[in-house]
Amino acid sequence: MKKSALFLALLSLSIIFTSCNSKKDTERSFIAKAGGFSGEIKVNVTTLGDKIKDVELVSHNETDHIISRAFPILRERILEAQSPIIDSVSGATYTSFGVKRAVNEALKTAGKDFGKITNKTKAPEQPVAHLEPVNTDLVIIGGGPAGLAAAISAKEAGLKNVILIEKLDILSGNGKYDMNFYDLINSEAQKKAGIEDSVEKFIQDNASPIDTPERTRVQAEGSFKLDSWLRSFGVNLNHYYGNRGHMAESNAYAGAHVQDGLEAKAKALGIDIRPNTKGLDLIIENGIAKGVKVQNKNNFYDINAKAVILATGGFSANKELLAKHAPGSEIFQTSNQIGATGDFMPVFEKNDIGLANLDVLSIFPFIISHTRDLTGGGDGFMLVNKNGERFTSEKITFDKRVATAQKILDQPDSAAFYVYDQNLYNSSYRLQKHTEKGYHTKADTLAELATKMNIPAEKLTETMENFNKAIRGEMADPYREVPFKREFKTEGPYYAVQVESAIHMTKGGVVANENTEVLYNSGEIVKGLYAAGEVANSSAAYSASVIFGRIAGETAAKFIEQ
């Protein structure tokens, strides 16, 4: 009897142990969804007992080059914290919110309730710490196209120790959003298209009172060599579509491809990239730039360097600075990334560093109101208000962009709609992509489209008919001296999206010479300090950021090696 009792007791303990161990080792998966910036985000959360084992992205409608950068960071933070109560990825706030909420819903199903997740939910704050200084050869402030190009160039020039800091959690600034890579000459795609171009033609076409002739020439010469340099590390801009404009392919944006390549090359070269690290102030000793004071979360430290490159972007996302330097512009949205806040403007002023043309802005005529994506596909659309009436010319030259922006704001509810037909849809990859992602509304008939957009159908039809009459010469176009050439199709499908104008870039900034050397107000060079990209006073844009980034890296390396 005693042996039987002992056997039963041991058997019971074995069953209990096996049951507990089984529960501990049970792997389960839970799928849940939540709204992100552009639509539904669906995740699959795998648990192992009480632990979160993995988080997978099942589907989404977010901007690809945002969520592809943000999700790995969110996944890592969730697994480390074993909780969706984590810091959002800066530069991807709403996407982060959607992922965290979806994970939270999945965990509720798993029996783990972390409470309500809001857009302010973040990890517990860490205590303030002042760390020991870090020493390096070169520090670059800003991880956009200019900063990444500078880092790669400096490494290629022979510098061993390069640190790049970026205040956001994700790199590549505004460049990763761009469909186009403008002002590129001597490219393989240009040659394939039979286009003859040259440095002299580029200079003639791009002369600007904002830029010195020397900077324009250096940009032209840099543009001539740029395609070859990009291709050396796998960035192939194979689609040329005129006006020195390039895309990766006819159905692939240039921006994401270029920035993916720059990031991959920088990492392959072993550059010390420090995201979520904000530059606070320059370290300048005896008129020479010696480093930067930085903040990473609640950690503060100095990065001592032999040279500093500024690639901090513009200030089009800073309403206060816009109101100060370009009064009235603060009422507009920006299509630029949220990090374009001009953080170093007070630093420049404090150190008597030259600034110029701060009131000059680049206005993009149409962004999608609810996503801020640049949109449009050339001439051949109608711009109407909520009453279905046209109110301005659709042919918007550069000098008319500000006036058009104001006219849109002056419409009822400041609402304007970009309405187009199948012909324009077929000719524009951007319109096709936005429609596929659900940003634009599609309808089989104009009346159906009007209903979906909450526009009077009869009035929209009348507007289209008059638009076509002007094209046929049967009446004068009230808004255009030269009407569009091709009639609006009288059969569907039709498309529309609510739009507004936006500040795309600030053009003024730090005064830098053709070697990217930063100048004091006196005109003297700030030794060891260089600037590239939107932070610098320049009429140029994306490709110029990469060109002058390369120059900054090379020039800084020569200065350090002296």
Short mmCIF file of all heavy atoms in Angstrom, two decimals, residues 134-143 146-148 150-151 154 159-166 271-274 277-283 289-294 301-312 344 528-531 552-553 556-557 559-560:
data_model
loop_
_atom_site.label_atom_id
_atom_site.label_comp_id
_atom_site.label_asym_id
_atom_site.label_seq_id
_atom_site.Cartn_x
_atom_site.Cartn_y
_atom_site.Cartn_z
N VAL A 134 32.67 61.73 -26.08
CA VAL A 134 33.09 60.76 -27.11
C VAL A 134 34.00 61.50 -28.08
O VAL A 134 33.72 62.65 -28.45
CB VAL A 134 31.86 60.19 -27.84
CG1 VAL A 134 32.29 59.33 -29.02
CG2 VAL A 134 31.00 59.38 -26.88
N ASN A 135 35.07 60.88 -28.52
CA ASN A 135 36.01 61.50 -29.45
C ASN A 135 35.95 60.82 -30.81
O ASN A 135 35.86 59.60 -30.91
CB ASN A 135 37.44 61.42 -28.90
CG ASN A 135 37.58 62.15 -27.57
OD1 ASN A 135 37.12 63.28 -27.43
ND2 ASN A 135 38.21 61.50 -26.60
N THR A 136 36.02 61.63 -31.85
CA THR A 136 35.99 61.10 -33.22
C THR A 136 36.71 62.06 -34.15
O THR A 136 37.08 63.18 -33.75
CB THR A 136 34.54 60.89 -33.69
OG1 THR A 136 34.53 60.19 -34.94
CG2 THR A 136 33.81 62.21 -33.86
N ASP A 137 36.92 61.65 -35.39
CA ASP A 137 37.51 62.54 -36.39
C ASP A 137 36.47 63.55 -36.88
O ASP A 137 36.70 64.75 -36.90
CB ASP A 137 38.03 61.74 -37.59
CG ASP A 137 39.25 60.90 -37.24
OD1 ASP A 137 40.04 61.34 -36.39
OD2 ASP A 137 39.39 59.81 -37.81
N LEU A 138 35.32 63.02 -37.28
CA LEU A 138 34.28 63.85 -37.90
C LEU A 138 32.93 63.50 -37.32
O LEU A 138 32.60 62.32 -37.16
CB LEU A 138 34.26 63.59 -39.43
CG LEU A 138 33.15 64.24 -40.25
CD1 LEU A 138 33.28 65.76 -40.24
CD2 LEU A 138 33.16 63.72 -41.69
N VAL A 139 32.13 64.52 -37.02
CA VAL A 139 30.75 64.30 -36.61
C VAL A 139 29.84 65.00 -37.61
O VAL A 139 30.09 66.15 -38.02
CB VAL A 139 30.48 64.77 -35.17
CG1 VAL A 139 30.72 66.28 -35.00
CG2 VAL A 139 29.06 64.42 -34.74
N ILE A 140 28.81 64.30 -38.02
CA ILE A 140 27.83 64.82 -38.98
C ILE A 140 26.49 64.91 -38.27
O ILE A 140 26.04 63.93 -37.67
CB ILE A 140 27.73 63.90 -40.21
CG1 ILE A 140 29.09 63.83 -40.91
CG2 ILE A 140 26.66 64.40 -41.17
CD1 ILE A 140 29.20 62.69 -41.90
N ILE A 141 25.86 66.07 -38.35
CA ILE A 141 24.59 66.29 -37.66
C ILE A 141 23.47 66.22 -38.69
O ILE A 141 23.29 67.13 -39.50
CB ILE A 141 24.57 67.66 -36.95
CG1 ILE A 141 25.84 67.86 -36.12
CG2 ILE A 141 23.33 67.78 -36.07
CD1 ILE A 141 25.99 69.27 -35.57
N GLY A 142 22.72 65.13 -38.71
CA GLY A 142 21.62 64.95 -39.64
C GLY A 142 21.82 63.75 -40.54
O GLY A 142 22.85 63.63 -41.21
N GLY A 143 20.81 62.85 -40.55
CA GLY A 143 20.92 61.61 -41.30
C GLY A 143 20.07 61.57 -42.55
O GLY A 143 19.57 60.51 -42.93
N ALA A 146 21.94 64.50 -47.48
CA ALA A 146 23.21 65.23 -47.39
C ALA A 146 24.13 64.60 -46.35
O ALA A 146 25.33 64.40 -46.60
CB ALA A 146 22.95 66.70 -47.06
N GLY A 147 23.59 64.30 -45.18
CA GLY A 147 24.40 63.72 -44.12
C GLY A 147 24.95 62.36 -44.47
O GLY A 147 26.12 62.05 -44.21
N LEU A 148 24.13 61.51 -45.05
CA LEU A 148 24.57 60.17 -45.43
C LEU A 148 25.63 60.24 -46.53
O LEU A 148 26.64 59.52 -46.49
CB LEU A 148 23.38 59.33 -45.89
CG LEU A 148 22.44 58.87 -44.78
CD1 LEU A 148 21.12 58.37 -45.36
CD2 LEU A 148 23.09 57.77 -43.93
N ALA A 150 27.65 62.70 -47.07
CA ALA A 150 28.86 63.24 -46.45
C ALA A 150 29.62 62.15 -45.70
O ALA A 150 30.84 62.05 -45.79
CB ALA A 150 28.50 64.38 -45.51
N ALA A 151 28.88 61.33 -44.97
CA ALA A 151 29.52 60.25 -44.20
C ALA A 151 30.21 59.26 -45.12
O ALA A 151 31.36 58.85 -44.87
CB ALA A 151 28.47 59.55 -43.35
N ALA A 154 33.32 60.94 -46.72
CA ALA A 154 34.43 61.09 -45.77
C ALA A 154 35.14 59.76 -45.55
O ALA A 154 36.37 59.70 -45.48
CB ALA A 154 33.90 61.63 -44.44
N LEU A 159 38.92 58.74 -43.91
CA LEU A 159 38.70 58.95 -42.48
C LEU A 159 38.26 57.63 -41.83
O LEU A 159 37.39 56.93 -42.34
CB LEU A 159 37.63 60.02 -42.25
CG LEU A 159 38.04 61.48 -42.48
CD1 LEU A 159 36.93 62.40 -42.01
CD2 LEU A 159 39.33 61.83 -41.78
N LYS A 160 38.84 57.34 -40.68
CA LYS A 160 38.50 56.09 -40.00
C LYS A 160 37.31 56.23 -39.06
O LYS A 160 36.48 55.34 -38.96
CB LYS A 160 39.73 55.59 -39.21
CG LYS A 160 40.88 55.13 -40.10
CD LYS A 160 42.03 54.58 -39.27
CE LYS A 160 43.16 54.08 -40.15
NZ LYS A 160 44.30 53.56 -39.35
N ASN A 161 37.25 57.36 -38.36
CA ASN A 161 36.24 57.52 -37.31
C ASN A 161 35.24 58.61 -37.70
O ASN A 161 35.57 59.80 -37.65
CB ASN A 161 36.91 57.86 -35.98
CG ASN A 161 37.88 56.79 -35.55
OD1 ASN A 161 37.54 55.61 -35.50
ND2 ASN A 161 39.12 57.18 -35.25
N VAL A 162 34.05 58.17 -38.08
CA VAL A 162 32.98 59.09 -38.48
C VAL A 162 31.73 58.75 -37.69
O VAL A 162 31.29 57.59 -37.68
CB VAL A 162 32.68 58.99 -39.99
CG1 VAL A 162 31.52 59.90 -40.36
CG2 VAL A 162 33.92 59.33 -40.81
N ILE A 163 31.19 59.74 -37.01
CA ILE A 163 29.93 59.57 -36.29
C ILE A 163 28.86 60.40 -36.98
O ILE A 163 29.07 61.59 -37.27
CB ILE A 163 30.05 60.00 -34.81
CG1 ILE A 163 31.00 59.07 -34.05
CG2 ILE A 163 28.69 60.01 -34.13
CD1 ILE A 163 31.25 59.48 -32.61
N LEU A 164 27.72 59.79 -37.24
CA LEU A 164 26.56 60.50 -37.78
C LEU A 164 25.43 60.43 -36.76
O LEU A 164 25.06 59.34 -36.33
CB LEU A 164 26.13 59.89 -39.11
CG LEU A 164 24.94 60.56 -39.81
CD1 LEU A 164 25.10 60.47 -41.34
CD2 LEU A 164 23.60 59.97 -39.41
N ILE A 165 24.91 61.59 -36.36
CA ILE A 165 23.79 61.60 -35.43
C ILE A 165 22.53 62.05 -36.15
O ILE A 165 22.57 62.86 -37.08
CB ILE A 165 24.05 62.51 -34.20
CG1 ILE A 165 24.20 63.97 -34.61
CG2 ILE A 165 25.28 62.03 -33.44
CD1 ILE A 165 24.21 64.94 -33.44
N GLU A 166 21.40 61.50 -35.76
CA GLU A 166 20.09 61.85 -36.31
C GLU A 166 19.11 61.95 -35.16
O GLU A 166 18.99 61.01 -34.36
CB GLU A 166 19.64 60.81 -37.32
CG GLU A 166 18.19 60.87 -37.74
CD GLU A 166 17.77 62.23 -38.28
OE1 GLU A 166 18.47 62.74 -39.19
OE2 GLU A 166 16.76 62.79 -37.80
N ILE A 271 30.18 53.13 -40.54
CA ILE A 271 29.98 54.46 -39.96
C ILE A 271 29.16 54.33 -38.68
O ILE A 271 28.18 53.57 -38.63
CB ILE A 271 29.27 55.37 -40.99
CG1 ILE A 271 30.22 55.64 -42.16
CG2 ILE A 271 28.82 56.69 -40.34
CD1 ILE A 271 29.55 56.15 -43.40
N ASP A 272 29.57 55.04 -37.65
CA ASP A 272 28.89 55.00 -36.35
C ASP A 272 27.64 55.87 -36.43
O ASP A 272 27.69 57.09 -36.29
CB ASP A 272 29.85 55.52 -35.27
CG ASP A 272 29.26 55.42 -33.86
OD1 ASP A 272 28.06 55.15 -33.71
OD2 ASP A 272 30.01 55.65 -32.90
N ILE A 273 26.50 55.22 -36.69
CA ILE A 273 25.23 55.94 -36.87
C ILE A 273 24.46 55.91 -35.55
O ILE A 273 24.20 54.83 -35.01
CB ILE A 273 24.41 55.31 -38.00
CG1 ILE A 273 25.18 55.41 -39.33
CG2 ILE A 273 23.05 55.98 -38.12
CD1 ILE A 273 24.52 54.68 -40.48
N ARG A 274 24.10 57.08 -35.07
CA ARG A 274 23.42 57.19 -33.78
C ARG A 274 22.06 57.87 -33.94
O ARG A 274 21.96 59.12 -33.87
CB ARG A 274 24.29 57.96 -32.79
CG ARG A 274 25.66 57.32 -32.60
CD ARG A 274 26.47 57.95 -31.48
NE ARG A 274 27.75 57.26 -31.34
CZ ARG A 274 28.54 57.38 -30.28
NH1 ARG A 274 28.19 58.18 -29.28
NH2 ARG A 274 29.69 56.72 -30.24
N THR A 277 19.38 60.80 -31.51
CA THR A 277 20.42 61.60 -30.88
C THR A 277 20.38 63.00 -31.47
O THR A 277 20.69 63.20 -32.65
CB THR A 277 21.81 60.96 -31.10
OG1 THR A 277 21.80 59.62 -30.57
CG2 THR A 277 22.90 61.75 -30.41
N LYS A 278 19.98 63.93 -30.66
CA LYS A 278 19.73 65.30 -31.12
C LYS A 278 20.91 66.20 -30.83
O LYS A 278 21.44 66.22 -29.71
CB LYS A 278 18.49 65.86 -30.43
CG LYS A 278 18.11 67.27 -30.86
CD LYS A 278 16.86 67.72 -30.12
CE LYS A 278 16.45 69.13 -30.56
NZ LYS A 278 15.24 69.59 -29.83
N GLY A 279 21.34 66.95 -31.83
CA GLY A 279 22.36 67.96 -31.61
C GLY A 279 21.76 69.16 -30.91
O GLY A 279 20.70 69.65 -31.29
N LEU A 280 22.42 69.62 -29.86
CA LEU A 280 21.90 70.75 -29.07
C LEU A 280 22.67 72.03 -29.32
O LEU A 280 22.08 73.11 -29.33
CB LEU A 280 21.97 70.40 -27.58
CG LEU A 280 21.20 69.16 -27.12
CD1 LEU A 280 21.46 68.91 -25.64
CD2 LEU A 280 19.70 69.33 -27.37
N ASP A 281 23.97 71.93 -29.50
CA ASP A 281 24.80 73.12 -29.64
C ASP A 281 26.13 72.74 -30.27
O ASP A 281 26.59 71.59 -30.13
CB ASP A 281 25.03 73.75 -28.26
CG ASP A 281 25.48 75.20 -28.34
OD1 ASP A 281 25.65 75.72 -29.47
OD2 ASP A 281 25.68 75.83 -27.27
N LEU A 282 26.72 73.70 -30.96
CA LEU A 282 28.06 73.48 -31.50
C LEU A 282 29.10 73.77 -30.43
O LEU A 282 28.91 74.63 -29.57
CB LEU A 282 28.29 74.41 -32.69
CG LEU A 282 27.48 74.13 -33.96
CD1 LEU A 282 27.68 75.25 -34.96
CD2 LEU A 282 27.87 72.79 -34.58
N ILE A 283 30.19 73.03 -30.49
CA ILE A 283 31.35 73.32 -29.66
C ILE A 283 32.34 74.06 -30.55
O ILE A 283 32.91 73.50 -31.49
CB ILE A 283 31.98 72.03 -29.10
CG1 ILE A 283 30.95 71.26 -28.26
CG2 ILE A 283 33.21 72.36 -28.27
CD1 ILE A 283 31.43 69.87 -27.85
N ALA A 289 35.36 74.92 -35.22
CA ALA A 289 34.35 73.94 -34.79
C ALA A 289 35.05 72.70 -34.26
O ALA A 289 35.88 72.09 -34.95
CB ALA A 289 33.44 73.58 -35.96
N LYS A 290 34.69 72.33 -33.03
CA LYS A 290 35.37 71.24 -32.35
C LYS A 290 34.42 70.11 -31.93
O LYS A 290 34.84 69.19 -31.24
CB LYS A 290 36.09 71.76 -31.11
CG LYS A 290 37.28 72.67 -31.41
CD LYS A 290 38.44 71.89 -31.97
CE LYS A 290 39.69 72.72 -32.07
NZ LYS A 290 40.86 71.95 -32.55
N GLY A 291 33.15 70.19 -32.33
CA GLY A 291 32.24 69.11 -31.96
C GLY A 291 30.84 69.60 -31.74
O GLY A 291 30.46 70.72 -32.15
N VAL A 292 30.05 68.77 -31.08
CA VAL A 292 28.63 69.08 -30.86
C VAL A 292 28.18 68.50 -29.52
O VAL A 292 28.63 67.42 -29.12
CB VAL A 292 27.77 68.53 -32.02
CG1 VAL A 292 27.91 67.02 -32.15
CG2 VAL A 292 26.31 68.90 -31.85
N LYS A 293 27.32 69.23 -28.84
CA LYS A 293 26.68 68.73 -27.62
C LYS A 293 25.41 68.01 -28.03
O LYS A 293 24.62 68.54 -28.83
CB LYS A 293 26.38 69.89 -26.67
CG LYS A 293 27.63 70.58 -26.14
CD LYS A 293 27.27 71.68 -25.16
CE LYS A 293 28.54 72.30 -24.59
NZ LYS A 293 29.28 71.34 -23.73
N VAL A 294 25.16 66.82 -27.49
CA VAL A 294 24.03 66.01 -27.96
C VAL A 294 23.20 65.48 -26.79
O VAL A 294 23.64 65.48 -25.63
CB VAL A 294 24.52 64.82 -28.82
CG1 VAL A 294 25.39 65.31 -29.96
CG2 VAL A 294 25.27 63.79 -27.98
N TYR A 301 25.75 64.27 -23.57
CA TYR A 301 27.20 64.15 -23.67
C TYR A 301 27.73 64.99 -24.83
O TYR A 301 26.95 65.49 -25.66
CB TYR A 301 27.64 62.69 -23.81
CG TYR A 301 27.14 61.96 -25.04
CD1 TYR A 301 27.96 61.82 -26.16
CD2 TYR A 301 25.88 61.37 -25.08
CE1 TYR A 301 27.54 61.12 -27.28
CE2 TYR A 301 25.44 60.67 -26.19
CZ TYR A 301 26.27 60.55 -27.29
OH TYR A 301 25.85 59.86 -28.40
N ASP A 302 29.04 65.18 -24.86
CA ASP A 302 29.70 65.91 -25.94
C ASP A 302 30.33 64.92 -26.91
O ASP A 302 30.86 63.88 -26.50
CB ASP A 302 30.81 66.81 -25.40
CG ASP A 302 30.28 67.98 -24.58
OD1 ASP A 302 29.04 68.18 -24.56
OD2 ASP A 302 31.10 68.68 -23.96
N ILE A 303 30.27 65.25 -28.20
CA ILE A 303 31.04 64.53 -29.20
C ILE A 303 32.13 65.48 -29.66
O ILE A 303 31.86 66.49 -30.33
CB ILE A 303 30.18 64.08 -30.39
CG1 ILE A 303 29.07 63.13 -29.93
CG2 ILE A 303 31.05 63.39 -31.44
CD1 ILE A 303 28.14 62.67 -31.04
N ASN A 304 33.35 65.21 -29.27
CA ASN A 304 34.50 66.03 -29.67
C ASN A 304 35.00 65.54 -31.01
O ASN A 304 35.19 64.33 -31.21
CB ASN A 304 35.61 65.94 -28.62
CG ASN A 304 35.17 66.48 -27.27
OD1 ASN A 304 34.47 67.50 -27.20
ND2 ASN A 304 35.56 65.80 -26.20
N ALA A 305 35.21 66.48 -31.94
CA ALA A 305 35.61 66.09 -33.29
C ALA A 305 36.59 67.10 -33.86
O ALA A 305 36.69 68.23 -33.39
CB ALA A 305 34.37 65.98 -34.19
N LYS A 306 37.27 66.70 -34.91
CA LYS A 306 38.21 67.58 -35.60
C LYS A 306 37.51 68.43 -36.66
O LYS A 306 38.09 69.40 -37.16
CB LYS A 306 39.31 66.74 -36.23
CG LYS A 306 40.13 65.94 -35.21
CD LYS A 306 41.06 64.95 -35.88
CE LYS A 306 41.77 64.09 -34.84
NZ LYS A 306 42.62 63.04 -35.47
N ALA A 307 36.27 68.04 -37.00
CA ALA A 307 35.46 68.81 -37.95
C ALA A 307 33.99 68.42 -37.77
O ALA A 307 33.69 67.33 -37.27
CB ALA A 307 35.91 68.58 -39.39
N VAL A 308 33.11 69.32 -38.20
CA VAL A 308 31.67 69.12 -38.04
C VAL A 308 30.98 69.44 -39.36
O VAL A 308 31.28 70.47 -40.00
CB VAL A 308 31.10 70.04 -36.93
CG1 VAL A 308 29.59 69.84 -36.79
CG2 VAL A 308 31.80 69.81 -35.60
N ILE A 309 30.05 68.58 -39.75
CA ILE A 309 29.22 68.84 -40.94
C ILE A 309 27.78 69.01 -40.50
O ILE A 309 27.22 68.16 -39.80
CB ILE A 309 29.33 67.71 -41.97
CG1 ILE A 309 30.76 67.64 -42.53
CG2 ILE A 309 28.33 67.92 -43.11
CD1 ILE A 309 31.00 66.49 -43.49
N LEU A 310 27.18 70.12 -40.91
CA LEU A 310 25.77 70.40 -40.65
C LEU A 310 24.93 69.88 -41.80
O LEU A 310 25.12 70.27 -42.96
CB LEU A 310 25.55 71.91 -40.52
CG LEU A 310 26.28 72.63 -39.38
CD1 LEU A 310 26.30 74.14 -39.65
CD2 LEU A 310 25.62 72.32 -38.05
N ALA A 311 24.00 68.99 -41.50
CA ALA A 311 23.05 68.49 -42.51
C ALA A 311 21.68 68.36 -41.83
O ALA A 311 21.02 67.34 -41.93
CB ALA A 311 23.53 67.16 -43.07
N THR A 312 21.29 69.42 -41.14
CA THR A 312 20.13 69.39 -40.25
C THR A 312 18.81 69.74 -40.93
O THR A 312 17.77 69.74 -40.27
CB THR A 312 20.35 70.34 -39.07
OG1 THR A 312 20.72 71.64 -39.58
CG2 THR A 312 21.46 69.85 -38.16
N PHE A 344 18.85 74.34 -35.16
CA PHE A 344 20.14 75.02 -34.97
C PHE A 344 20.10 76.51 -35.32
O PHE A 344 21.13 77.19 -35.23
CB PHE A 344 21.23 74.32 -35.77
CG PHE A 344 21.95 73.25 -34.99
CD1 PHE A 344 21.32 72.06 -34.68
CD2 PHE A 344 23.24 73.44 -34.56
CE1 PHE A 344 21.97 71.08 -33.96
CE2 PHE A 344 23.91 72.46 -33.83
CZ PHE A 344 23.27 71.28 -33.53
N GLY A 528 36.66 74.30 -39.88
CA GLY A 528 36.19 72.99 -39.41
C GLY A 528 34.69 72.79 -39.45
O GLY A 528 34.20 71.77 -38.97
N LEU A 529 33.95 73.76 -40.03
CA LEU A 529 32.48 73.65 -40.07
C LEU A 529 31.99 73.71 -41.51
O LEU A 529 32.34 74.63 -42.27
CB LEU A 529 31.85 74.78 -39.25
CG LEU A 529 30.32 74.71 -39.07
CD1 LEU A 529 29.91 73.45 -38.30
CD2 LEU A 529 29.81 75.95 -38.34
N TYR A 530 31.14 72.73 -41.87
CA TYR A 530 30.66 72.59 -43.25
C TYR A 530 29.15 72.38 -43.23
O TYR A 530 28.59 71.92 -42.23
CB TYR A 530 31.37 71.41 -43.93
CG TYR A 530 32.88 71.51 -43.79
CD1 TYR A 530 33.52 70.95 -42.68
CD2 TYR A 530 33.63 72.19 -44.72
CE1 TYR A 530 34.89 71.07 -42.51
CE2 TYR A 530 35.01 72.31 -44.56
CZ TYR A 530 35.64 71.76 -43.45
OH TYR A 530 36.98 71.91 -43.28
N ALA A 531 28.49 72.74 -44.34
CA ALA A 531 27.03 72.61 -44.40
C ALA A 531 26.61 72.10 -45.76
O ALA A 531 27.13 72.55 -46.80
CB ALA A 531 26.36 73.95 -44.10
N ALA A 552 31.16 68.04 -48.93
CA ALA A 552 31.41 68.33 -47.52
C ALA A 552 32.27 67.24 -46.89
O ALA A 552 33.22 67.52 -46.14
CB ALA A 552 30.09 68.46 -46.77
N GLY A 553 31.97 65.98 -47.20
CA GLY A 553 32.76 64.88 -46.65
C GLY A 553 34.19 64.93 -47.12
O GLY A 553 35.14 64.73 -46.33
N ALA A 556 35.97 68.13 -45.56
CA ALA A 556 36.25 67.93 -44.14
C ALA A 556 37.42 66.97 -43.95
O ALA A 556 38.28 67.18 -43.07
CB ALA A 556 35.00 67.41 -43.44
N ALA A 557 37.46 65.93 -44.75
CA ALA A 557 38.55 64.96 -44.64
C ALA A 557 39.90 65.61 -44.93
O ALA A 557 40.90 65.36 -44.23
CB ALA A 557 38.31 63.79 -45.59
N PHE A 559 40.64 68.79 -44.53
CA PHE A 559 40.93 69.69 -43.41
C PHE A 559 41.51 68.90 -42.22
O PHE A 559 42.48 69.33 -41.60
CB PHE A 559 39.65 70.41 -42.99
CG PHE A 559 39.79 71.25 -41.75
CD1 PHE A 559 40.35 72.51 -41.81
CD2 PHE A 559 39.35 70.78 -40.52
CE1 PHE A 559 40.49 73.30 -40.67
CE2 PHE A 559 39.48 71.55 -39.37
CZ PHE A 559 40.06 72.81 -39.45
N ILE A 560 40.92 67.76 -41.95
CA ILE A 560 41.35 66.95 -40.81
C ILE A 560 42.76 66.39 -41.03
O ILE A 560 43.57 66.30 -40.10
CB ILE A 560 40.34 65.80 -40.57
CG1 ILE A 560 39.01 66.37 -40.05
CG2 ILE A 560 40.90 64.76 -39.59
CD1 ILE A 560 37.87 65.39 -40.07
#
